[in-house]
Amino acid sequence: MQINSNIDAMNAGRSLLRSGSDVGVSLARLSSGSRINSAKDDAAGLSISERLTAGVNGMNRAAKNVNDGISLVQVADGAASQLAENFQRIRELAVQAANGTYTSDDRKSIQGEVNSLMKANYDIVRGAKFNNLNLLDGSFREDFQVGDKVGQTVSLAIPAVLPINQTQVSLVDTPVMQVKAIGQVQGALAAGSLVLNGAVIGASTAGVNPGQNSFSAWSVARAINNANPPDVTALAENKVTGTAGAGGGAAAGDLTINGVSIGAFAGATPAALAAAAAGAISGASGGSGVVASASGATITLEATDGRDIAIGGPAAAALGLAATMYHGTVTLTNTASVDADNLTIAGSNPGAAGFAGGIVKPQATGATQMVLRAVGSGDPPIDLSTAASATSMLDFIDGKLDKINAMRASLGATENRLTHAHDNLVNSVENASAARSRILDTDYAAETMQLTRNQILQQAGMAMVAQANSLPNQALLLLRA
């Protein structure tokens, strides 16, 4: 039995300190609602929860960014909608002014309304702002931060459909444009197989001359021209080339062109043979409709009206020609001008004429013409003073409507994308918050039980410390003896 070292008291005191510390931890967790109140509570859990907190805070801010972006897009779309409505009215007035029943005074009244609408359009463009950012003048090109990470952005560039700066009209050296579409004829046309600029082309029919079959370029071009499609002209041609391999000759009838026998020809060299054959073929052109020319050893057969060229006979091979029927090509053109229109090709089988459905745009011819043109960054004034000018303005107005509609479609797609991004952010915040809660938040049921346990241990420890402190008193019993 010792007095100086009360081991029982030391053990009871140590247990009391531990239970007291545990009670303090439980009280801190229950009072703060957080399981981790300092790094010592759960070092790894603290690191994970802080990263989750950063993500949740960032995604909450990104969701607000997305809502701001949606608001901006809605402002731009609302302004563009009013622009489209005004241009619809302007187009209606242009169609009205193009009618021949109106006098010049009537058109002045129409022009006055158009001028007012255009002023309103410019006011709309100037006034379309969000947080003092111009939206419709072509200057808006920004990125929306739609996530909490680098690179999680949505880009938006809004084009200028109505330039603010007014323009002037002056003489400009302008390229002359023209549509040119070439098709290799594949077969005969049936009615409706080919539609050009909205005009239905009838069936191709055979002619009376050799080679003028219903599936020849001559017949297809004739069917097109007979249908008289708006501003479209068809030209047929057929050329076949071959190269003589050696000198030699052919007897009369050894070569036929479109069923016509060609007379005898001979040449000691390939070039001489090609020249002799060309002369013989051209000599029979009255019946075949095919002429020929030679350049060195190369011979070229040409049907200037585009009829088929049917070659037969054993002498064809000597000239490098296949004994078969050759179809020609059809070339579609419109009037060459600085304002040449597109060519629209459609129909149930345009491939029979060698064309693909779609729009063929005019190309520069190489020529230029001095014309009055709007210069600068603005648009030309809308002139409805005459029926002709009103008609010519329809394409310009349609172009404006197309640009506005395309811009609104882009804005709508961006708004949908931002809406989906917002929905995803809200869902991600919910899931990340739940994950963080499982790590960071106090489980009150479990922690209350732990507190009760620790408090009982603390009370028991205090009682045992008191008992252990009284044990040395037992030594006095020994001293009484």
Side-chain angles (χ1 to χ4, degrees), residues 60-81:
N60 279 327
R61 181 63 259 181
K64 295 177 181 178
N65 291 349
V66 170
N67 283 330
D68 291 341
I70 292 174
S71 298
L72 182 147
V73 171
Q74 289 173 341
V75 170
D77 182 52
S81 174

Side-chain angles (χ1 to χ4, degrees), residues 389-472:
S389 62
T391 300
S392 66
M393 291 308 302
L394 287 175
D395 283 342
F396 169 78
I397 298 170
D398 286 341
K400 284 297 176 185
L401 284 171
D402 289 342
K403 288 182 180 180
I404 294 173
N405 293 336
M407 180 187 69
R408 293 192 65 196
S410 176
L411 290 174
T414 301
E415 183 175 351
N416 288 336
R417 183 178 176 185
L418 291 175
T419 300
H420 296 321
H422 180 269
D423 293 343
N424 180 63
L425 285 169
V426 171
N427 183 61
S428 297
V429 166
E430 179 180 349
N431 292 330
S433 297
R436 181 183 60 173
S437 174
R438 287 188 288 270
I439 298 173
L440 187 62
D441 292 349
T442 298
D443 183 343
Y444 272 77
E447 201 61 46
T448 300
M449 290 187 295
Q450 189 67 27
L451 174 63
T452 301
R453 174 182 178 275
N454 291 333
Q455 285 177 332
I456 293 173
L457 288 174
Q458 185 182 42
Q459 293 170 9
M462 293 173 66
M464 293 305 102
V465 168
Q467 291 292 332
N469 286 335
S470 66
L471 288 178

Side-chain angles (χ1 to χ4, degrees), residues 115-136:
N115 292 341
S116 296
L117 288 169
M118 287 304 299
K119 289 178 181 178
N121 285 341
Y122 284 112
D123 290 339
I124 290 171
V125 173
R126 292 188 184 95
K129 296 177 181 291
F130 185 88
N131 193 29
N132 210 32
L133 295 172
N134 294 324
L135 300 181
L136 299 183

